[in-house]
Amino acid sequence: MAHDTDLDVASECALANMARVRPVLDKIADKWPILILTVLCPRPARFNAIKRRLDGITHKALADALERLERNGLVTRTVLPTAPIGVEYAITPLGHSLRQPFEALCRWALDHGAAIEAANQEHDGLKTGA
């Protein structure tokens, strides 16, 4: 674990810059943007291919998320000269810069998911008196 002084400095930095940090995190820290960027990281994909990879996402949620990611400069949208017309999404260099933090976050989720679930069950059991 980091030294307490290092944690204090990191915490103070984040709090001092909250007006700049929070809007950025709001744009990328939602459930779907992280997963969409993870799908697009290895290679561009069409809308339906992305939707198939993200079990549970609705058409509207994917369309809205892709539009926000494009607006934020994290993905590009290219109309393909096919019949019928196709659209392909690709990650930008800015979006690709999130690869390392997202991979670390996914590793953390895999490593600690069971501990979080156990904590949830313990907490819920204490609340219900079980």
Side-chain angles (χ1 to χ4, degrees):
M1 181 170 224
H3 190 274
D4 285 347
T5 305
D6 295 337
L7 293 174
D8 287 338
V9 170
S11 178
E12 286 302 318
C13 180
L15 291 172
N17 292 292
M18 192 59 62
R20 291 177 41 213
V21 171
R22 184 173 177 193
V24 174
L25 292 179
D26 285 347
K27 290 177 172 86
I28 63 167
D30 191 22
K31 170 170 123 177
W32 295 121
I34 292 171
L35 295 173
I36 291 167
L37 290 172
T38 301
V39 168
L40 293 176
C41 212
R43 70 192 57 81
R46 290 183 176 209
F47 184 94
N48 284 330
I50 299 168
K51 190 171 183 307
R52 279 191 299 275
R53 297 276 313 272
L54 299 176
D55 187 36
I57 192 168
T58 65
H59 184 93
K60 180 174 178 11
L62 179 55
D64 291 349
L66 285 167
E67 185 176 336
R68 284 190 308 274
L69 289 168
E70 183 182 10
R71 181 173 184 261
N72 293 322
L74 301 173
V75 300
T76 58
R77 179 183 183 273
T78 303
V79 177
L80 303 172
T82 58
I85 292 176
V87 176
E88 184 176 75
Y89 295 89
I91 196 165
T92 66
L94 179 61
H96 207 279
S97 71
L98 289 166
R99 180 179 177 181
Q100 186 176 6
F102 283 174
E103 285 176 351
L105 185 58
C106 287
R107 268 193 311 277
W108 186 91
L110 290 171
D111 291 346
H112 300 285
I116 289 175
E117 183 59 32
N120 279 212
Q121 290 176 0
E122 181 181 342
H123 179 268
D124 294 348
L126 291 173
K127 287 182 99 171
T128 61

